[in-house]
Amino acid sequence: MDLHLQQKVFIVTGGAKGIGAAISKTLAEEGASVVIAGRDKNDNQKMVDEIVLAKGKATSHTIELADPEACKELIQFTVDKFGRLDGLINNAGVNDGVSIEEGSPEAFMQSIVKNLSHIYNLTHYALPHLKTSKGVVINIGSKVAETGQGRTSGYAASKGGMNALTREWAAAFLPYGIRVNTVIPAEVWTPLYATWIKTFENPDAKLKEITSKIPFEQRFTTSEEIANMVVFLASDRSSHTTGQIIYVDGGYTHLDRSLT
Ligand code: NAP
């Protein structure tokens, strides 16, 4: 299936590592131009080099997404460089473990800034360009918004807010032909996951326990499996799909627990 992405330009936040890296590479494999937007210049450059070596089109922009002015600059950088913007992939986020018991009001607000505010800021500044291209917004959420995790209020609230904004913006953008969708991973092995699992007393045992409860094939979802869904949603092959929250999780969030 040709996804018709050859002339299109996408920003992928956190596009140098984990799920974001897979999204950047898959978009580039389909012929799109990719702007990798992350905070580490070397990580960004490594991903650009990898894509260019494989004959793809990519550039990078170093950004701390918590800074609203930097979000504005990222959109301007992209449009100055490519003359268009066809899609914003809001992937970057961090499960920062700000709990209700041990956290603080300040830490909670910081978590919202790290996980949710940049989604609004980037979409706000991207909107005029997405109107022109009839583009897409795709968010990467988390199952935590639906299931809770027990010790991560800021992250849960952010990802829940993201789900709400998916519906809100899908409705708001109907007149412009802009589609908005969210893809939800549950368990994907990435640098973020490797850091998170170490917060448990016995990470190996915890990992085994989680893996055994993933209904489909008792294995983690790969970053590429998330990326394939994102890239499909970014293409006009999904031209009547909007306002959807799609779980790519091997059935982890919704299937009957007695199965595992
Ligand atoms: P990851 O391995 O940490 O990669 C995320 C990338 O985004 C990193 O390069 C990170 O930079 C960058 N980034 C994060 N916050 C940033 C900021 N404020 N400014 C600039 N760059 C920033 O994460 P991942 O596991 O691939 O997760 C990607 C998305 O999937 C996240 O939204 C996460 O919540 C969601 N998710 C993941 C899983 C999973 O199982 N992995 C499950 C559910 C949801 P640094 O390396 O410098 O931090």
Side-chain angles (χ1 to χ4, degrees), residues 9-13 35 37 63 65 68-80 83-90 117-139 169 173 176-180:
V9 178
F10 295 91
I11 294 172
V12 183
T13 68
V35 179
I63 179 171
L65 290 157
E69 195 55 33
C71 290
K72 190 177 178 182
E73 284 164 17
L74 169 61
I75 303 299
Q76 199 53 52
F77 166 83
T78 304
V79 174
D80 286 349
R84 61 185 294 133
L85 176 61
D86 296 280
L88 175 62
I89 319 291
N90 288 312
S117 300
H118 53 86
I119 313 300
Y120 179 93
N121 298 338
L122 288 172
T123 307
H124 172 76
Y125 292 120
L127 186 54
H129 310 290
L130 296 176
K131 282 183 184 175
T132 306
S133 62
K134 294 194 190 309
V136 296
V137 177
I138 301 167
N139 304 312
W169 294 344
F173 299 166
Y176 313 126
I178 300 170
R179 297 181 296 111
V180 185

Side-chain angles (χ1 to χ4, degrees), residues 34 46 49 78 90 94-95 123 148 163 183 194 196 202 215 231 237 240 242:
V34 186
K46 267 191 223 154
D49 292 346
T78 304
N90 288 312
V94 58
N95 189 348
T123 307
N163 287 355
V183 175
W196 176 78
N202 188 339
V231 173
R237 296 295 186 178
H240 214 217
T242 193

Side-chain angles (χ1 to χ4, degrees), residues 197 202-214 220:
I197 201 82
N202 188 339
D204 289 343
K206 187 72 189 170
L207 191 58
K208 253 193 192 153
E209 187 196 334
I210 292 170
T211 308
S212 73
K213 288 184 178 145
I214 299 169
F220 271 42

